[in-house]
């Protein structure tokens, strides 16, 4: 491995899981491009309507404080031109890209509301635009950097909602779609040195999760007692990319808690529960290919 800092992009990292993953990379000395739309708090709100903290600059500063180098980039992942400029900036400044984490997703204010999808606003489907489509676009740009350099990893932040009912059809379709993107990208990446995989994160200790626990205590308090620090996922991504088994893990949908135990990664010294028995299992890789 090179002594130079590893270069990562974490999309949707103003707050939440993305911000935590960026911080986790900072703990390992990465240079992290932190993307998001938030320049000043106000445009993102919790489930109870309160303004959520967090900006791209604040996350980037925290990455630097933890030992890495955080670089904030204001980027709306619904805008392909802005995404293209992001990758151009990384190449202009670094000349390479080691890790892309596709985490950006549109979070509708009715996401966790207990109502059938037709009673929610149609805008709830935008998680497919910024969440699934945006992951494809970012991965396309990343592949055009990583394949020529002969190395790299693309990680999708997915969830058990890809399998079980969770937050409604739009959320489930987005997560299932991320898993399939990673599965099929692996086929195209074979022999290039680049890997792609999808991660089912457990409950995350994020700003929105804390509000969700207060808004729907019977639904979330039990989960939060077992919740993962979002920095944990960054350490798992790093371990997967450095694993001698990385090619076999490429294309897989992996439960963070399970692959962490396999690779010897802990969450601040703690093993986290899998939730497989309660929420379901990822689909295995399918070896069939049709052109």
């Amino acid at each position: 491995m090179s002594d130079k800092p590893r270069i990562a992009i974490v999309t949707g990292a103003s707050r939440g899981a993305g911000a935590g993953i960026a911080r986790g990379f900072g703990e390992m000395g990465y240079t992290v491009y932190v993307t998001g739309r938030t320049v000043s708090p106000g445009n993102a709100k919790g489930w109870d309507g309160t303004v959520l903290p967090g900006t791209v600059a604040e996350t980037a500063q925290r990455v630097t404080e933890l030992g890495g180098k955080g670089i904030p980039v204001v980027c709306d992942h619904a805008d392909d031109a802005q995404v293209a400029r992001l990758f151009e900036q990384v190449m202009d400044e670094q000349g390479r890209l080691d890790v892309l984490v596709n985490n950006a997703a549109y979070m509708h204010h009715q996401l966790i509301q207990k109502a059938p999808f037709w009673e929610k606003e149609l805008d709830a489907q935008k998680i497919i635009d910024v969440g699934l489509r945006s992951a494809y676009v970012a991965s396309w740009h990343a592949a055009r950097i990583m394949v020529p350099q002969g190395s790299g990893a693309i990680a999708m932040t997915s969830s058990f909602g890809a399998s079980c009912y969770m937050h409604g059809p739009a959320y489930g379709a987005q997560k299932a779609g991320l898993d399939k993107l990673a599965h099929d990208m692996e086929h195209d990446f074979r022999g290039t040195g680049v890997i792609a995989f999808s991660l089912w994160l457990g409950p995350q200790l994020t700003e929105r999760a804390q509000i969700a626990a207060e808004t729907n205590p019977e639904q979330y308090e039990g989960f939060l007692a077992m919740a993962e620090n979002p920095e944990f996922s960054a350490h798992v991504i790093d371990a997967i990319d450095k694993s001698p088994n990385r090619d076999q893990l490429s294309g897989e949908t992996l439960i963070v808690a399970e692959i962490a135990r396999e690779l010897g990664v802990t969450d601040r010294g703690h093993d986290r529960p899998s939730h497989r028995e309660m929420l379901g299992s990822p689909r295995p890789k399918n070896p069939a290919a049709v052109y």
Side-chain angles (χ1 to χ4, degrees):
M1 301 296 290
S2 171
D3 291 334
K4 294 181 179 179
R6 289 166 62 75
I7 311 301
I9 294 173
V10 183
T11 72
S14 298
R15 65 189 64 80
I21 291 170
R23 293 192 301 266
F25 284 138
E27 294 170 348
M28 295 179 285
Y30 276 60
T31 293
V32 185
Y33 284 78
V34 176
T35 82
R37 293 182 301 163
T38 307
V39 178
S40 59
N43 68 332
K45 294 181 173 59
W47 310 122
D48 60 352
T50 57
V51 173
L52 291 172
T55 68
V56 288
E58 289 171 350
T59 300
Q61 179 180 349
R62 187 65 183 134
V63 169
T64 301
E65 290 170 351
L66 288 166
K69 181 179 180 182
I71 300 174
V73 180
V74 177
C75 180
D76 182 350
H77 283 270
D79 186 331
D80 290 354
Q82 291 186 38
V83 176
R85 287 196 293 271
L86 162 68
F87 285 87
E88 289 169 2
Q89 178 181 345
V90 172
M91 283 302 287
D92 288 345
E93 295 175 357
Q94 308 298 335
R96 65 178 294 105
L97 175 64
D98 297 301
V99 179
L100 166 66
V101 180
N102 283 309
N103 174 73
Y106 176 80
M107 304 299 284
H108 192 265
H109 68 93
Q110 293 176 305
L111 180 69
I112 66 169
Q113 182 178 317
K114 290 183 178 180
F117 73 91
W118 63 89
E119 292 182 5
K120 297 181 181 182
E121 297 170 8
L122 185 57
D123 274 357
Q125 63 78 31
K126 287 182 178 179
I127 195 172
I128 298 171
D129 296 327
V130 180
L132 181 55
R133 182 186 180 279
S134 61
Y136 183 97
V137 173
S139 298
W140 183 87
H141 285 284
R144 292 167 75 90
I145 297 171
M146 292 175 172
V147 171
Q149 75 189 17
S151 64
I154 297 175
M156 317 287 181
T157 59
S158 185
S159 85
F160 290 86
S163 175
C164 70
Y165 182 95
M166 187 179 289
H167 308 322
Y171 180 88
Q174 186 254 338
K175 296 306 183 187
L178 288 177
D179 295 352
K180 193 63 165 64
L181 285 184
H183 177 279
D184 289 4
M185 286 177 185
E186 179 273 333
H187 182 90
D188 290 348
F189 281 142
R190 288 176 195 171
T192 67
V194 183
I195 63 172
F197 52 91
S198 193
L199 294 175
W200 282 10
L201 281 58
Q204 299 286 294
L205 288 170
T206 65
E207 303 88 350
R208 276 192 172 94
Q210 296 289 352
I211 292 171
E214 296 170 4
T215 306
N216 298 281
E218 75 289 347
Q219 186 177 354
Y220 280 92
E221 283 182 343
F223 276 105
L224 288 182
M226 302 177 287
E228 300 166 0
N229 291 292
E231 293 86 350
F232 179 41
S233 293
H235 288 265
V236 170
I237 292 167
D238 180 77
I240 290 170
D241 192 25
K242 293 176 179 176
S243 170
N245 201 33
R246 69 193 293 276
D247 287 345
Q248 286 69 47
L249 295 174
S250 185
E252 294 280 10
T253 297
L254 304 162
I255 296 173
V256 169
E258 293 180 359
I259 191 62
R261 284 194 292 272
E262 182 178 323
L263 297 177
V265 180
T266 64
D267 183 4
R268 303 287 190 260
H270 299 283
D271 287 332
R272 295 304 181 189
S274 163
H275 307 295
R276 178 190 289 265
E277 291 187 4
M278 178 170 56
L279 298 177
S281 303
R283 291 181 179 178
K285 279 198 289 190
N286 185 336
V290 179
Y291 292 93

